[in-house]
Amino acid sequence: QKFGEQRVVMDMPLMSILIKTGLQHGYKLLPVYTFGESETFRTVESFYNQRLKLAANNIPGVFFFGWPACPIFPRPQASLLTYVGRAVQLPRIPNPTPAEVAHWKHVYQTALWATFEEFKGDAGYPEATLVECPVTTPRSKL
């Protein structure tokens, strides 16, 4: 992750499972976004392919540092601000189809983007744009 860039992973396999479970029980989903997470640590962005190869062998390929006095702690200058958007009420569907899951997943993702846009100025990031990150899974795990 680039320092200071607002990023989100929207297409996790787990998200579809959560949406399906929510539909089966008629849950409300709350879109939540935390500003400032990308400023808690600096990460090494180079050697991406080599780090994915390490990850394929269950070796962490993450290199980060935060507070200079103790690099495993987050930077104390970072300010985390969490905002909760408008709830998405899911209908109760005992056996949702993949199309219904996909539809409500899109509704939730739209609500998350709207939450980001609504609160970015209040959080101190008026010019920020939200970057959607792809899920990066090592090929051997697919």
Side-chain angles (χ1 to χ4, degrees):
Q1 172 159 334
K2 294 181 181 177
F3 186 79
E5 183 178 66
Q6 303 295 322
R7 298 176 114 189
V8 65
V9 177
M10 292 286 236
D11 198 23
M12 298 179 293
L14 180 59
M15 187 180 285
S16 293
I17 295 168
L18 292 173
I19 298 292
K20 181 178 180 181
T21 302
L23 286 168
Q24 290 171 334
H25 299 281
Y27 292 152
K28 279 185 185 177
L29 300 179
L30 293 172
V32 177
Y33 190 83
T34 300
F35 292 89
E37 282 186 295
S38 61
E39 297 171 5
T40 55
F41 292 94
R42 292 196 179 269
T43 59
V44 175
E45 297 176 39
S46 53
F47 306 108
Y48 182 74
N49 290 331
Q50 291 84 350
R51 290 187 290 126
L52 278 180
K53 287 178 185 176
L54 289 172
N57 294 307
N58 293 323
I59 301 169
V62 178
F63 303 105
F64 63 90
F65 57 95
W67 186 32
C70 187
I72 62 170
F73 288 171
R75 297 173 64 248
Q77 304 91 329
S79 176
L80 299 178
L81 298 168
T82 301
Y83 292 88
V84 180
R86 291 173 184 81
V88 174
Q89 177 65 59
L90 299 179
R92 189 173 188 287
I93 305 172
N95 294 306
T97 65
E100 290 169 325
V101 171
H103 167 75
W104 286 102
K105 181 177 170 183
H106 176 73
V107 170
Y108 172 77
Q109 291 171 335
T110 301
L112 183 61
W113 282 86
T115 300
F116 174 84
E117 290 297 328
E118 179 181 352
F119 294 109
K120 69 182 183 180
D122 186 57
Y125 298 89
E127 302 299 319
T129 57
L130 191 57
V131 177
E132 186 173 349
C133 299
V135 176
T136 53
T137 306
R139 293 189 189 277
S140 64
K141 300 280 184 181
L142 293 178

